[in-house]
Amino acid sequence: MGKYVIAGNWKMNKTPAEAKVLIDEIKPLVADATCDVIVGVPFVDLHVALEATAGTNIGVAAQNCHWAESGAFTAEISAGMLKEMGVGYVIIGHSERRQYFGETDQTVNKRVRAALDAGLTVILCVGEYLEQREQGVTAEVCAMQTKIALCGVSAEEMSRIIVAYEPVWAIGTGRTATAEQANEVCAQIRDVVKGLYNADVAAALTVQYGGSMNAGNAAELLAQSDVDGGLIGGASLKAADFAVIVKAAK
Ligand code: PEP
């Protein structure tokens, strides 16, 4: 299976000064981590986060990027801008972007393409709404989102793709998928990637689970055979809780 990656998604939380405090708290707690550790911070915190994590085992992610290199796209940030700053990762297709900001599978694909072209590693989020789960189309929805997002991505480039399975009904709700549900869909996503590429690419892919993962439930979720890590929202804002999740990823 893919290597374990634990990534925090801070969403629209923490000013630059607060970001430095939180990263300084996290650093010693995860210094001996056996998995990759990433903090996904607001754009305005990137500079401080890069400085605070320099020389440590913590990577820095942005939470989105535009697909164009430059141009008349007021308030947008290009992948190249992130790369030049020293950012290594970008979260793309988060359900909050899809729900509130008109993100579609097609724009997710364009952003993935731009991020890869700029040399970034992508954390690609896919996941179903509760209604879709109840209608029995979870596998189809996640397969469609994954396939469209990866259009035009080569097998070699897949080493810079992490997929985060994030059931929308579990994000920020305190309602977690059961370990079995998480594992089932992560395995289905891996299977989709196997179909698109080959067994080696699928086996090497990191598939994270995200959705109310916390210090209490992380160990069980991360012990599943097809869950290679987590994308953590709320619990990533508390250094001690985040560190417990990182330690559970082995
Ligand atoms: C997320 O924002 O990706 C997420 C999983 O949030 P939470 O852990 O708060 O559900």
Side-chain angles (χ1 to χ4, degrees):
M1 296 299 109
K3 75 181 164 201
Y4 274 93
V5 180
I6 299 294
N9 173 20
W10 290 10
K11 315 194 189 207
M12 196 175 72
N13 292 293
K14 303 295 176 187
T15 66
E18 291 168 344
K20 178 165 169 37
V21 171
L22 179 54
I23 290 171
D24 284 345
E25 281 173 13
I26 292 172
K27 272 195 284 196
L29 301 179
V30 305
D32 59 354
T34 53
C35 62
D36 286 1
V37 181
I38 300 166
V39 288
V41 306
F43 286 123
V44 294
D45 295 350
L46 286 170
H47 185 70
V48 158
L50 288 163
E51 262 181 12
T53 57
T56 74
N57 60 335
I58 303 175
V60 174
Q63 297 175 7
N64 199 8
C65 68
H66 198 266
W67 55 82
E69 277 178 32
S70 61
F73 300 104
T74 301
E76 291 294 322
I77 303 287
S78 76
M81 291 172 180
L82 298 174
K83 183 66 181 175
E84 187 183 303
M85 283 187 82
V87 173
Y89 302 84
V90 60
I91 299 168
I92 294 181
H94 192 279
S95 65
E96 287 153 14
R97 300 298 314 169
R98 296 179 191 254
Q99 259 181 295
Y100 310 136
F101 300 100
E103 202 76 71
T104 65
D105 289 332
Q106 285 68 30
T107 58
V108 167
N109 174 239
K110 287 163 81 168
R111 291 176 206 270
V112 167
R113 209 32 283 157
L116 292 173
D117 286 341
L120 299 170
T121 293
V122 172
I123 300 176
L124 164 67
C125 302
V126 302
E128 82 287 2
Y129 287 103
L130 183 57
E131 191 186 20
Q132 294 169 324
R133 175 163 282 273
E134 289 169 349
Q135 290 165 338
V137 293
T138 297
E140 287 87 345
V141 168
C142 293
M144 184 179 73
Q145 291 179 355
T146 304
K147 284 184 184 176
I148 297 175
L150 295 178
C151 271
V153 174
S154 70
E156 291 67 39
E157 287 171 326
M158 284 302 291
S159 63
R160 287 189 288 122
I161 297 280
I162 294 166
V163 180
Y165 166 53
E166 298 211 306
V168 182
W169 47 272
I171 297 179
T173 58
R175 186 175 165 187
T176 318
T178 64
E180 292 71 30
Q181 287 171 329
N183 197 46
E184 182 183 30
V185 184
C186 287
Q188 285 164 352
I189 291 168
R190 199 182 300 284
D191 217 46
V192 166
V193 167
K194 184 176 165 190
L196 289 175
Y197 300 94
N198 56 54
D200 290 345
V201 169
L205 179 72
T206 295
V207 186
Q208 299 174 316
Y209 167 77
S212 299
M213 191 187 277
N214 58 42
N217 61 26
E220 192 192 358
L221 287 160
L222 293 168
Q224 301 305 306
S225 58
D226 277 285
V227 179
D228 309 318
L231 183 56
I232 325 295
S236 71
L237 297 170
K238 296 177 205 128
D241 288 13
F242 188 60
V244 168
I245 298 170
V246 167
K247 283 200 172 56
K250 48 172 165 341

